[in-house]
Amino acid sequence: MPVLSLDKAYSHEELSTWVRRTSDKLGHAPVFVVEEKLDGVSIVLYYEQGVLARAVTRGNGSMGNDVTGNVRTIRDVPLRLQDDVDIAVRGEILLPLVAFRRLNEDMETPYANPRNLAAGTLRRVKSRETAGVPLRFFAYEGFLTDVPAGRSVSTHRDMLLRLARLGFRVNPHMGLFSEQDVSNPFPDDAAQLPAFSQVQTGTLADLEDAIAQWTADRESREYEIDGLVVKLDDLSLRDELGYTGHHPRWAIAYKFESPVSVTKVRSIDVQVGRTGRITPVARVEPVGIGGTTVSNVTLHNQAYIEALELHVGDTVEVSRRGDVIPAVERVIEPNPEAHPYAFPTRCPTCDSVLEERGAHHFCPNFRCPDRMRGQLHFFVASAQMDIQHLGSETLNLLLAEGIVEEIPDLFCLDYERIAGLPGFGARKIELLKGSIEHATSRPYRTVLASLGIPDLGPKFVELVCDAGYRSIDDLLQLVDEGRVESLIAIDGIGEKTAARVAEELARPSVRSVIQRLREAGLQFSEEHAPEKAESVEAQIFAGESWCITGSFENFQPRSLAAEEIKSRGGTVVSDVSGKTTHLLAGANAGSKRDKAEKRGVEIVDEQEFLRRIAATDDV
Ligand code: IVH
């Protein structure tokens, strides 16, 4: 059946206008039902002879995704009903807030909200993974397809009661408002059902207060609601009013205010990063959100797009909560003509066949122009080779002019050509020459970690060097002889990383970059290990036990923060317990923060942490 959307009201006035007009159209004041607008994933469950046959998502409204296997694992969804009816049930799959906070804490790409995490969970390939997430289901509409069974159901109330008796969970928070007497909305035996314990009733004049009360109560719910839905109770009146192509005329959603804007997806592009990781980006019609204009919104990876059921041309809600990067909250109007987005199989820049690793796709070509651009920016940055007088703008100009393409080009620049470019006076050129020259004396460890080879970062370099592989030749030889196990044998290097680095170092494209840099005179070996004294940190965290939670700007992955603590004598634990002395809390810290507060554990934020470790650097 078509999965329609709802018409929307954004204020009390708009809502009461709708209530009045609807009554006018019908010629009398009917009974209105008010329900919570549950902010989850809309789903239709089809039962045949009382047995769950199919569970389908909204998709583009006429064709959704079959998620039956995964929905079967949700406890609230009955597999067999109390009665052998044919019925389609529409409702919402929700992830309670507590569970959302707990699960999101440890995710590589945290979800913007519980709805998206629930949607992502429903699209998992392995139902076992879905079963591990405590999803809930509330039923709010039923469509009986066999007439005799339908005859006893003439109102929404009857339907909810029927759904509850068939075995569904229905939302107990609801209201009935009318000029008719609705003070006893359910038959006596039904009023006992827990499902109907919270029902409010009143006249239309009471509606406004009830809505204000509901709005205030939303914070105390275990799940997110983003508004209220007002519907006609009488099903024959619903038939009388009918539908537009987009929504029923017998219902309207009253939306709570939220920091989101509505816009349209013009296209989905993919970007190629320094490590080759492919990031899809939604290009949206520019829209203001909280004071800034947003036109690009990251979509992270293929699974993220699939979870949103996003198509080009869809109308979407985009949020920008605080400092968080803009996120697509959800599709509010699917483009009915669009096909599901097909993730590219080849690199849009160099046409290499993409490789799938974990949740992401990668361009494997080290010399892909986009990767080289990213590598160049990374290489010159202050955290790596720290090449002065070569800021982003200058570098972009050199790239645009085709004067540099890849890292080694920096060491054989055509200064005569550069002299003709805007902004390059004689003095600037001298300074640039000087700082590039200076880079040839940077230590081997810095050079190697600056090349932007995936998984080959400063930590890895330190570990292999300290283990005795002190030159690039040592490393390349190890790779050529297929001795990956020697890398794995180094404490701190895992199997996956070792294999990945070996794979990268075996690529001819990587070899040629290294070769050219060698010829340019960069350091590719170290005489001896740096003086130990340099790397010994003051043991300021000695005797302390730190738990780390949330995400950080300066410590990605979080293990980097753990390293800082350990190198200063502290221990790192995975959860807050009686023995924990400190909680390092990053953005979006969840339940661990609450625990720490309860136990009186000292909570340290990223800024404070940086200050503490920097203080010792001066020692
Ligand atoms: S009734 C034919 N009732 O809101 C219309 N929808 O913006 C049936 N929603 O996609 C919808 N809570 O997923 C209805 N109590 C409720 C709801 C509800 C949440 C969702 C629904 C729909 C969206 C429309």
Side-chain angles (χ1 to χ4, degrees):
M1 64 183 199
V3 182
L4 296 181
S5 190
L6 286 169
D7 195 10
K8 287 176 188 69
Y10 293 92
S11 63
H12 284 269
E13 290 71 53
E14 277 177 44
L15 184 62
S16 47
T17 307
W18 182 84
V19 167
R20 193 166 14 86
R21 289 227 181 104
T22 306
S23 308
D24 288 351
K25 264 193 242 169
L26 295 168
H28 62 90
V31 178
F32 291 98
V33 183
V34 182
E35 290 176 351
E36 291 179 334
K37 184 160 152 36
L38 304 165
D39 197 5
V41 181
S42 190
I43 204 100
V44 185
L45 308 176
Y46 294 91
Y47 288 83
E48 287 165 9
Q49 301 280 293
V51 176
L52 177 64
R54 264 183 326 284
V56 185
T57 65
R58 181 167 75 147
N60 67 0
S62 55
M63 201 196 295
N65 281 294
D66 187 324
V67 288
T68 317
N70 288 343
V71 166
R72 276 187 211 281
T73 68
I74 301 174
R75 247 194 318 145
D76 289 342
V77 173
L79 300 178
R80 174 167 256 299
L81 304 179
Q82 296 298 325
D83 200 352
D84 292 345
V85 283
D86 287 350
I87 190 172
V89 175
R90 192 163 163 188
E92 207 82 357
I93 289 177
L94 300 170
L95 180 63
L97 279 161
V98 206
F100 168 67
R101 294 200 184 107
R102 175 168 54 77
L103 292 167
N104 221 23
E105 209 167 64
D106 299 317
M107 291 221 179
E108 192 191 339
T109 358
Y111 283 88
N113 51 51
R115 175 187 349 95
N116 291 358
L117 178 47
T121 307
L122 283 179
R123 300 295 305 270
R124 292 276 166 80
V125 179
K126 296 188 190 125
S127 295
R128 199 163 19 93
E129 294 178 6
T130 306
V133 179
L135 297 172
R136 308 277 308 264
F137 176 75
F138 280 115
Y140 47 69
E141 292 287 332
F143 306 88
L144 281 158
T145 37
D146 48 351
V147 180
R151 219 170 274 145
S152 60
V153 177
S154 63
T155 62
H156 188 60
R157 265 178 279 177
D158 291 343
M159 182 53 89
L160 290 178
L161 193 54
R162 189 75 206 266
L163 288 172
R165 289 191 163 138
L166 283 171
F168 292 99
R169 181 187 291 278
V170 298
N171 189 349
H173 301 281
M174 63 174 289
L176 286 156
F177 297 89
S178 178
E179 301 313 321
Q180 299 169 28
D181 180 20
V182 283
S183 53
N184 286 312
F186 289 99
D188 285 348
D189 56 335
Q192 317 305 328
L193 281 172
F196 302 102
S197 55
Q198 316 262 348
V199 178
Q200 295 183 33
T201 56
T203 65
L204 286 181
D206 299 324
L207 186 57
E208 191 157 331
D209 284 348
I211 286 177
Q213 188 56 48
W214 236 306
T215 311
D217 284 350
R218 75 188 268 220
E219 300 299 334
S220 62
R221 293 284 179 270
E222 290 163 5
Y223 43 82
E224 289 201 325
I225 62 175
D226 60 337
L228 301 171
V229 185
V230 181
K231 309 172 171 177
L232 281 181
D233 185 40
D234 189 315
L235 301 185
S236 58
L237 295 181
R238 289 186 179 190
D239 289 342
E240 204 173 297
L241 292 184
Y243 297 82
T244 71
H246 165 263
H247 60 257
R249 291 201 180 83
W250 44 261
I252 193 162
Y254 167 76
K255 295 271 288 175
F256 295 145
E257 273 181 49
S258 64
V260 297
S261 297
V262 171
T263 183
K264 206 168 184 168
V265 177
R266 287 179 171 161
S267 63
I268 297 175
D269 291 347
V270 296
Q271 288 174 346
V272 188
R274 167 175 64 83
T275 62
R277 198 211 267 195
I278 306 287
T279 308
V281 178
R283 310 284 182 205
V284 300
E285 286 173 6
V287 63
I289 314 169
T292 48
T293 303
V294 170
S295 41
N296 303 312
V297 189
T298 182
L299 297 171
H300 303 289
N301 54 40
Q302 181 174 17
Y304 199 88
I305 299 177
E306 287 175 0
L308 286 166
E309 300 195 359
L310 186 73
H311 319 89
V312 172
D314 285 357
T315 302
V316 293
E317 225 172 52
V318 176
S319 68
R320 193 167 189 282
R321 299 182 180 177
D323 295 335
V324 179
I325 53 164
V328 172
E329 286 277 322
R330 71 172 107 205
V331 172
I332 46 173
E333 212 53 69
N335 172 6
E337 274 134 45
H339 297 290
Y341 173 70
F343 206 86
T345 54
R346 287 174 174 272
C347 173
T349 310
C350 71
D351 207 39
S352 300
V353 174
L354 300 182
E355 291 176 0
E356 249 181 284
R357 259 176 255 144
H360 304 283
H361 288 74
F362 290 83
C363 167
N365 176 12
F366 193 67
R367 298 181 69 193
C368 166
D370 274 348
R371 288 189 61 180
M372 294 196 296
R373 172 187 309 266
Q375 286 160 11
L376 267 164
H377 280 276
F378 181 75
F379 186 79
V380 305
S382 57
Q384 279 71 241
M385 295 294 279
D386 194 19
I387 301 184
Q388 303 288 307
H389 312 289
L390 197 54
S392 285
E393 247 176 76
T394 310
L395 189 53
N396 281 337
L397 181 62
L398 298 183
L399 277 159
E401 292 293 326
I403 293 172
V404 295
E405 265 183 9
E406 59 172 342
I407 295 170
D409 297 340
L410 290 176
F411 299 93
C412 51
L413 288 176
D414 180 349
Y415 287 102
E416 273 175 33
R417 255 184 89 190
I418 296 178
L421 297 178
F424 280 94
R427 184 171 149 68
K428 169 139 184 177
I429 289 187
E430 275 322 300
L431 288 170
L432 182 60
K433 263 189 194 167
S435 53
I436 288 179
E437 175 62 36
H438 185 64
T440 58
S441 62
R442 305 280 282 147
Y444 166 59
R445 295 186 186 213
T446 310
V447 173
L448 187 56
S450 300
L451 296 179
I453 298 169
D455 288 273
L456 215 169
K459 191 76 217 168
F460 185 93
V461 172
E462 189 187 314
L463 290 171
V464 287
C465 285
D466 288 350
Y469 302 96
R470 297 230 161 77
S471 70
I472 194 73
D473 288 327
D474 289 349
L475 263 184
L476 296 183
Q477 192 184 350
L478 187 150
V479 170
D480 288 342
E481 290 170 3
R483 288 187 286 119
V484 182
E485 70 286 349
S486 307
L487 287 178
I488 303 171
I490 302 173
D491 193 22
I493 297 182
E495 251 171 73
K496 263 196 194 156
T497 312
R500 294 273 310 110
V501 169
E503 190 185 336
E504 292 296 333
L505 289 177
R507 293 186 200 277
S509 51
V510 174
R511 296 279 172 120
S512 91
V513 168
I514 292 173
Q515 188 49 33
R516 282 188 66 197
L517 289 174
R518 260 186 164 176
E519 285 161 10
L522 274 83
Q523 305 295 313
F524 275 98
S525 68
E526 58 182 15
E527 294 298 304
H528 34 243
E531 294 286 307
K532 247 315 181 223
E534 264 179 47
S535 60
V536 171
E537 309 288 352
Q539 303 289 293
I540 52 163
F541 297 142
E544 297 178 354
S545 166
W546 289 69
C547 177
I548 309 177
T549 185
S551 53
F552 300 89
E553 249 172 59
N554 297 284
F555 307 101
Q556 283 173 1
R558 270 193 331 215
S559 56
L560 290 177
E563 293 306 326
E564 299 288 351
I565 294 169
K566 287 191 241 165
S567 72
R568 288 170 176 78
T571 50
V572 177
V573 294
S574 59
D575 203 357
V576 176
S577 73
K579 292 185 195 129
T580 313
T581 57
H582 294 75
L583 179 75
L584 175 57
N588 300 320
S591 58
K592 287 183 184 153
R593 195 192 174 101
D594 302 340
K595 250 196 226 171
E597 264 166 18
K598 240 181 248 151
R599 293 181 177 268
V601 169
E602 182 176 349
I603 300 176
V604 175
D605 67 11
E606 183 167 7
Q607 232 37 54
E608 169 61 18
F609 185 69
L610 285 170
R611 204 190 54 69
R612 288 190 193 183
I613 59 180
T616 64
D617 290 347
D618 300 336
V619 172

